[in-house]
Amino acid sequence: MARAILFLATLVLASSAHADGGRYEVLGDEIPKPLTDQPGDPARGRAIVVDRRKGLCLLCHSGPFPEERFQGDLAPSLEGAGDRNTPGALRLRLVDSRRVNTDTIMPPYFETTGLHRVAPEFRDKTILNAQEIEDVIAFLATLKTTGGSR
Amino acid sequence: MSASTQAMQRDDVQNPGMLAAGQGEALWNAQPPGGGQSCASCHGDATASMKGVAARYPAFDEATRRPIDLQDRIRACNARRPGAPDMPHESEELVALSAYVGLQSRGTPTAPDPDPRLAPFRARGQALFERPIGQLNLSCAACHDARAGGRLAGALIPQGHPNGYPLYRLEWQGMGSLQRRLRNCMTGVRAEAPPFGAPDFVELELYLQSRAAPLAVETPAVRP
């Protein structure tokens, strides 16, 4: 019984995060605190990044993904993203890139405010949920050109 | 666009859009099911009467005091024929007739109607074009003005010109109108696409046309 309640509580938390986003604190150009208690999983993050329907990253970016034939050229390569950005800076970038660059074309992955004419099936939903954001950050952090792991 | 798609567009025998235009020619001359008049009975030979018409549409419609695009003009003429069945947007008949009328302007430079009454509608179309929309928060301009020639994953971003429509798209395996294309771009950024024929579309078309002028009409074009 106790287990069932715990399970339900997690479910509600996870879905509400996906439903409204926006629960984070920005300090300077970072969101220092992770959005979830569970650490991000780099393998799951990589899968999200290359997924054209979920992460959509390769619509615009390229990166060290030799198996992906079609990569975009509208944004800098993700190669070395973990060198250039702290995890907190990556988090702000992903959550809402408009806070870094008001004219950005990078979609806000964890924010639903300030959007117009959103299709009904996506209204008030964030592109990624909190855990997926953390997974992507964990993966990006491994993208180091300076002898880091990949 | 690849060399093979361009070659297909240039060669009328290979261009699948010419089949639709041929079907449009037959419809132009045929008596409609309700027994009313054919298009030809009022307009005569389309190669003369429709020459250059598509190049200046959308135009101002006195009846509704709004811009009207070529497809809705054809639908309006059709609706005045007693007993003629409706020609819904994207129906084979409407796309074919639009392709046939459009073909009569092939090679004619796009010439936006200078009627000042159109200006506010065109300005609204431009505002729509420049405003980020959808869950992905992208404007038409972000892709078609600022990043034309760039690669969106595998797809080359075109300038977003309307001068080839209706056209044959290999991906659709068929003909489609400009509005069908615009709906694709809107749903691509996870925005809500208005219904076919909505004022938003006609206003966007007006702006796209002024942006494309004086490119020549290429109807029926071919796309990958």
Side-chain angles (χ1 to χ4, degrees), chain A residues 23-92:
Chain A
R23 299 185 184 170
Y24 50 83
E25 199 183 333
V26 181
L27 285 178
D29 52 6
E30 300 200 0
I31 298 175
K33 270 207 345 240
L35 306 174
T36 58
D37 294 335
Q38 194 186 331
D41 173 343
R44 277 207 306 260
R46 189 186 196 281
I48 292 166
V49 166
V50 300
D51 186 330
R52 270 151 224 287
R53 284 163 193 273
K54 195 148 194 76
L56 312 158
C57 315
L58 301 189
L59 285 183
C60 297
H61 291 275
S62 58
F65 312 103
E67 79 283 13
E68 294 295 326
R69 240 182 95 207
F70 298 115
Q71 308 191 10
D73 68 1
L74 309 179
S77 167
L78 293 177
E79 180 99 62
D83 285 329
R84 293 188 293 271
N85 306 280
T86 62
L90 289 172
R91 194 170 289 110
L92 180 60

Side-chain angles (χ1 to χ4, degrees), chain B residues 28-159:
Chain B
W28 178 269
N29 292 304
Q31 208 184 36
Q37 290 173 272
S38 69
C39 316
S41 69
C42 283
H43 291 291
D45 181 357
T47 60
S49 65
M50 292 291 136
K51 204 171 161 43
V53 169
R56 55 179 169 75
Y57 265 71
F60 192 79
D61 180 38
E62 300 290 346
T64 57
R65 320 275 317 153
R66 290 193 45 84
I68 187 169
D69 66 8
L70 188 65
Q71 298 204 60
D72 277 334
R73 163 60 72 219
I74 293 173
R75 293 182 75 225
C77 267
N78 177 60
R80 285 201 300 241
R81 304 192 291 184
D86 181 33
M87 271 184 206
H89 284 275
E90 294 316 293
S91 62
E92 222 179 308
E93 289 81 7
L94 182 60
V95 172
L97 272 169
S98 310
Y100 180 59
V101 172
L103 178 63
Q104 312 313 322
S105 294
R106 192 161 65 166
T108 306
T110 301
D113 189 334
D115 189 327
R117 293 172 298 180
L118 288 171
F121 297 98
R122 194 174 283 126
R124 260 209 297 279
Q126 176 167 6
L128 275 171
F129 192 83
E130 289 169 355
R131 181 177 214 199
I133 54 169
Q135 192 193 35
L136 304 189
N137 197 40
L138 286 164
S139 68
C140 320
C143 284
H144 293 298
D145 275 348
R147 291 169 187 84
R151 289 221 167 255
L152 185 71
L156 190 67
I157 300 178
Q159 287 174 303

